[in-house]
Amino acid sequence: MSASLLPVAVKIVEVGPRDGLQNEKQTISADVKIDLVNRLSDAGIPNVEAVSFVSPKWVPQMATSSEVMQGIQRRPGTIYSALVPNMKGFDAALAAKMDEVVIFGAASEAFSQKNINCSIAESIERFRDVAQAAKQHGMRLRGSVSCALGCPYQGEVTPEAAADVVRRMRDLGCDEIDIADTIGVGTAGQVKRVFERAAKEFPLERLAGHFHDTYGQALANIYAALEVGVVIYHSSVAGLGGCPYARGATGNVATEDVLYLMHGLGISTGISLDAVVDAGQFISEQLGRKSSSRAGSAIAAKRAA
Ligand code: HMG
Ligand code: MG
């Protein structure tokens, strides 16, 4: 911790190629995804959630995941992660030589029931075989706790409910656990309470903040998490993403915006903001729309002036 009591360095996990692109309706070619992942790892991002190995009937955009992983230039030291829902997904992740697999569960009972038709406890139990296989093969295992700060169906989600899922994921052997504000409704005081409570179940230095900017609170929430001592943050280049199950939910907080905040605070990330701005401009052009990153757009406009 520095004199200001903020961390001196943080790890940024880029989730745009998976969490972001999975929500795009238009088909994005494997070549574009490969180019994007390469640009992000070349920018110095230490962990890229590149793909998911899920049912193509549920998420057609991720059907090219094996091809993407075969096509990228692996940067030594970069952790490439894949979200997997079951053993079929795990086997594909193993074949693709992923460094990390990501399992997921909701902190909201209503969300779990509506979306996957089972309780939170049952849903986490279903990942036991994936967790064991990951350990067996020496892969990193990450758990994602979605709807940890609010739910589109039940509304409030308590820190206790989020901590309960964190505990279950810890017991499965997760190396890192994300607290995700899937619909972007959380506010700074709530963020502090959730992380302080979760840290009683799992080491704070391995808890990650995954914020969406739906209500414009993401950077404030990140600052609140920094004050608690959280050192891992998820973000998405150009703010790609959304939530298919929550109408109106915007993307993940933009990587460019998070880097601008961190570097302004003197917090080291090891990442080139300029190179991420380029990646953001690249993918926005491919998608035929403006970047959702405020810092990315401002820096690009300044360059063009
Ligand atoms: P299902 O239809 O109930 O399962 O889906 P099924 O076992 O009947 O399988 C249906 C078909 O999918 C079968 O093919 C399977 O072989 C195939 P068919 O015989 O009909 O030709 N299949 C698969 N194919 C490829 N890879 C697989 C796989 N599994 C089955 N792994 C299932 C159940 C869980 C598979 C499905 O619901 C699924 O894939 N869900 C994943 C959806 C997803 O990716 N959601 C987003 C993740 S969570 C998130 O984004 C939030 C987070 O980012 C945090 C935040 O943003 O806040 C983490
Ligand atoms: Mg997300």
Side-chain angles (χ1 to χ4, degrees):
M1 300 285 244
S2 69
S4 63
L5 293 179
L6 297 181
V8 294
V10 294
K11 177 173 109 168
I12 300 294
V13 179
E14 168 63 49
V15 299
R18 197 286 300 173
D19 195 5
L21 294 186
Q22 75 174 4
N23 291 298
E24 291 297 329
K25 295 276 175 288
Q26 53 180 302
T27 305
I28 302 151
S29 73
D31 282 347
V32 168
K33 293 175 188 166
I34 290 165
D35 200 341
L36 179 64
V37 171
N38 285 341
R39 285 167 184 264
L40 294 166
S41 58
D42 284 348
I45 295 178
N47 189 340
V48 181
E49 191 174 299
V51 291
S52 62
F53 293 102
V54 300
S55 166
K57 288 182 185 145
W58 287 70
V59 189
Q61 192 65 260
M62 290 290 117
T64 51
S65 288
S66 297
E67 202 182 330
V68 171
M69 288 312 296
Q70 258 169 25
I72 62 165
Q73 295 267 336
R74 292 220 180 202
R75 197 168 189 266
T78 305
I79 297 168
Y80 295 93
S81 313
L83 185 121
V84 299
N86 52 22
M87 277 308 287
K88 185 166 182 165
F90 177 82
D91 291 341
L94 187 63
K97 298 190 169 56
M98 302 309 300
D99 303 297
E100 180 177 76
V101 288
V102 182
I103 58 176
F104 50 97
S108 147
E109 202 59 67
F111 193 85
S112 189
Q113 289 292 353
K114 285 234 187 219
N115 283 289
I116 44 177
N117 202 24
C118 68
S119 71
I120 296 170
E122 281 166 338
S123 76
I124 307 265
E125 208 43 48
R126 288 181 190 175
F127 281 116
R128 192 166 289 282
D129 49 357
V130 171
Q132 276 169 358
K135 296 280 143 186
Q136 229 167 34
H137 292 277
M139 288 161 100
R140 288 169 54 94
L141 178 69
R142 170 147 69 77
S144 186
V145 183
S146 58
C147 292
L149 287 122
C151 165
Y153 306 114
Q154 77 180 41
E156 197 199 343
V157 175
T158 63
E160 199 54 44
D164 182 60
V165 186
V166 167
R167 184 166 49 240
R168 290 173 193 277
M169 291 207 164
R170 175 201 68 197
D171 292 346
L172 283 183
C174 285
D175 299 297
E176 221 169 274
I177 300 178
D178 328 325
I179 306 269
D181 185 8
T182 310
I183 55 169
V185 290
T187 51
Q190 199 189 354
V191 166
K192 285 193 169 177
R193 288 190 291 278
V194 170
F195 276 95
E196 279 164 0
R197 178 63 190 85
K200 293 191 174 138
E201 307 297 338
F202 192 73
L204 181 63
E205 63 274 17
R206 292 194 278 129
L207 280 175
H210 179 119
F211 298 106
H212 284 239
D213 205 28
T214 316
Y215 283 77
Q217 302 300 301
L219 288 180
N221 288 344
I222 289 175
Y223 195 85
L226 282 171
E227 287 191 326
V228 177
V230 175
V231 288
I232 308 171
Y233 294 93
H234 293 193
S235 60
S236 174
V237 64
L240 296 174
C243 177
Y245 309 110
R247 215 174 301 142
T250 64
N252 298 275
V253 63
T255 307
E256 298 91 317
D257 298 1
V258 176
L259 292 177
Y260 188 77
L261 172 71
M262 295 298 172
H263 296 173
L265 287 167
I267 296 173
S268 146
T269 63
I271 299 168
S272 159
L273 171 56
D274 267 331
V276 177
V277 170
D278 290 341
Q281 293 297 302
F282 162 76
I283 193 63
S284 300
E285 269 165 36
Q286 295 294 328
L287 295 171
R289 60 166 188 256
K290 277 188 61 172
S291 165
S292 299
S293 166
R294 303 283 284 269
S297 300
I299 292 167
K302 201 169 155 193
R303 281 179 187 166

